[in-house]
Amino acid sequence: MFARRFLAASSVMQRQFVRSISKSVRLHQLDLKGIYPPICTPFTDDGKFDINYEKLAENMKVYQQSPLRGYLVQGSNGEYIYLTPSERVELVRRVRPLVTDGRLLLAGSGCESTAETVELSQQMAEAGADALVVVTPCYYKASMNDAAMVAHYTAVADASPVPVILYSVPANTGINLSVEAVTQLAPHPNIIGIKDSLGDISKLAQLVETTKDEQFQVLAGSAGFLLPALLVGCVGGICALANVVPEAVCRLESLWRSGSLTEAAKLQRKLVAPNAAVTRGLGVPGMKAAMDAHGLYGGPLRPPLLPLSDAQKVVLHKIFVDAEL
């Protein structure tokens, strides 16, 4: 009896010790506060659809003039699923020197298998990523339960040389990373946050609440609900619309931080329709068309994605004009 009690007490003490170390380590990890565009991958218009690094540099020069906190390379808007593994790593390597002034470079390293995700994560870290944004595996949806997700992310975080950010985007994957799974993962010393794109404010509030004792940061996954996300405790957002109008999205966050809630709410309402147009409405084709219309380089899409029709471009243009963007 004494031995069992001693072992139980030792186990509790060990968990508490690991948790205390986890918290102390997190204090020296990245502060994610701010706005990040999940940048588009520009391709050449010669029919080969190679990555156009010259146009990428031009876009980055424009973005560097805005108050963005950093950038996500190979988020959902980066067409990463159409890139080869070597292209994915090289893209990180090419963007790294274009990111200055202490801004962060986040890289999407998610793959379907744990082993491939670990390998790509290590390569992207070596190429210069400050942190990795790891999307949920999704092909075998029925088997992607909480246990599978916790095991996957734990293995990736254990092996990663840089911090890991969880990424839940059910609209693309069909997988909604649960609050329970995130709560289990939050104490890991190398998992520093989550980008959640579901758009459920109650879930975001739960995530903030259940991880409040950890050094864990929640990022909104869209400009369409950025203000309410900030109000419930999110620290910033990885927002597709920031690819097109970075100043406007950053201004929304700035207004919130300064306490100008009436102005912030007014701007939030203006951003909803344009954001919907370049995300769930017209997707990456809409995003690239909007970038072209705003003086950036959107350019071609890598097949099988197709460009917008002329009629769709007219609709898209009106949405941005009506929003005064």
Side-chain angles (χ1 to χ4, degrees):
M1 178 67 73
F2 175 79
R4 285 199 299 270
R5 288 179 178 174
F6 177 79
L7 289 173
S10 297
S11 179
V12 170
M13 291 174 64
Q14 184 179 33
R15 288 197 299 271
Q16 290 174 340
F17 178 71
V18 170
R19 183 178 290 261
S20 68
I21 287 185
S22 168
K23 290 181 179 179
S24 67
V25 170
R26 286 177 190 278
L27 293 175
H28 302 286
Q29 291 187 346
L30 300 179
D31 181 354
L32 298 177
K33 292 185 184 72
I35 302 300
Y36 307 77
I39 64 173
C40 289
T41 303
F43 298 112
T44 58
D45 59 2
D46 56 2
K48 296 180 180 179
F49 305 105
D50 294 325
I51 297 176
N52 192 329
Y53 290 109
E54 180 180 345
K55 293 299 183 182
L56 175 64
E58 290 177 8
N59 285 347
M60 291 297 297
K61 186 175 181 180
V62 174
Y63 292 148
Q64 284 286 118
Q65 303 306 309
S66 70
L68 293 164
R69 176 68 178 96
Y71 312 92
L72 170 58
V73 178
Q74 295 170 56
S76 298
N77 289 278
E79 297 175 73
Y80 73 91
I81 57 171
Y82 299 149
L83 304 180
T84 66
S86 60
E87 284 179 320
R88 293 181 68 178
V89 175
E90 182 63 17
L91 192 56
V92 176
R93 196 181 313 279
R94 294 292 192 100
V95 173
R96 177 71 270 177
L98 306 176
V99 180
T100 59
D101 305 325
R103 303 184 198 212
L104 298 178
L105 175 57
L106 314 180
S109 63
C111 303
E112 279 300 302
S113 78
T114 301
E116 189 176 6
T117 304
V118 165
E119 181 178 6
L120 192 60
S121 295
Q122 292 172 340
Q123 292 173 347
M124 286 185 171
E126 184 180 350
D130 292 306
L132 302 165
V133 178
V134 182
V135 71
T136 53
C138 62
Y139 189 79
Y140 296 109
K141 288 181 178 60
S143 298
M144 293 297 101
N145 53 28
D146 284 359
M149 290 298 169
V150 170
H152 173 72
Y153 281 112
T154 299
V156 173
D158 283 348
S160 176
V162 296
V164 168
I165 300 166
L166 313 175
Y167 181 20
S168 181
V169 56
N172 289 354
T173 64
I175 300 291
N176 180 15
L177 189 60
S178 74
V179 173
E180 292 74 20
V182 175
T183 304
Q184 289 183 60
L185 290 163
H188 193 292
N190 206 30
I191 296 178
I192 62 169
I194 182 172
K195 174 193 177 185
D196 194 288
S197 299
L198 180 62
D200 182 344
I201 299 303
S202 64
K203 182 190 178 188
L204 291 174
Q206 278 187 287
L207 289 171
V208 172
E209 177 65 20
T210 60
T211 62
K212 65 184 178 182
D213 293 330
E214 310 296 339
Q215 297 294 322
F216 187 85
Q217 302 161 86
V218 182
L219 292 164
S222 173
F225 52 85
L226 179 59
L227 180 58
L230 292 169
L231 288 169
V232 299
C234 290
V235 301
I238 298 176
C239 304
L241 188 60
N243 279 306
V244 184
V245 286
E247 296 283 353
V249 181
C250 290
R251 176 165 169 72
L252 175 54
E253 189 221 9
S254 177
L255 287 169
W256 170 75
R257 292 199 184 278
S258 68
S260 305
L261 293 183
T262 300
E263 250 190 291
K266 182 179 178 181
L267 179 54
Q268 174 67 88
R269 292 192 294 272
K270 283 187 174 184
L271 297 183
V272 170
N275 179 79
V278 299
T279 54
R280 67 176 182 271
L282 298 171
V284 180
M287 176 68 69
K288 285 194 164 182
M291 288 175 64
D292 287 333
H294 282 75
L296 292 149
Y297 182 84
L301 301 115
R302 190 169 271 189
L305 286 178
L306 296 175
L308 297 188
S309 66
D310 289 341
Q312 288 174 314
K313 288 180 182 178
V314 170
V315 171
L316 181 65
H317 176 73
K318 185 176 186 305
I319 290 171
F320 274 85
V321 169
D322 288 349
E324 302 177 329
L325 296 172

